[in-house]
Amino acid sequence: MGTPAPDATSDLTVTVNGDPHVVPAGLTITTLLDRLGLGGRRVAVECNRVVVPRAEHGATALADGDRLEVVAFVGGG
């Protein structure tokens, strides 16, 4: 008997830059960034102390208790 699949309608809690966020199960990093207003921006994302390459943001689903650090790059002189 394996662990049942998570209920797609359930919520989970992730921490982003120290702040808790309740999000739907199955959310990816890309979708989370869109929800945070960072979609399409140049950002670096670390999930549970591991840098997630931008190419993997859309395929990386979040799990309950994940801790993310998101850093947006700002241009200027």
Side-chain angles (χ1 to χ4, degrees):
M1 295 191 4
T3 304
D7 180 357
T9 61
S10 64
D11 291 332
L12 50 92
T13 301
V14 297
T15 302
V16 181
N17 295 348
D19 295 323
H21 292 264
V22 177
V23 298
L27 201 71
T28 64
I29 291 176
T30 297
T31 309
L32 175 67
L33 293 174
D34 288 342
R35 286 174 163 246
L36 296 174
L38 297 172
R41 293 190 52 198
R42 294 186 60 177
V43 297
V45 179
E46 181 182 274
C47 183
N48 301 323
R49 297 187 173 193
V50 176
V51 174
V52 180
R54 183 180 179 109
E56 296 177 16
H57 289 183
T60 304
L62 301 174
D64 194 45
D66 279 350
R67 299 185 67 81
L68 295 101
E69 293 296 324
V70 179
V71 178
F73 295 98
V74 180

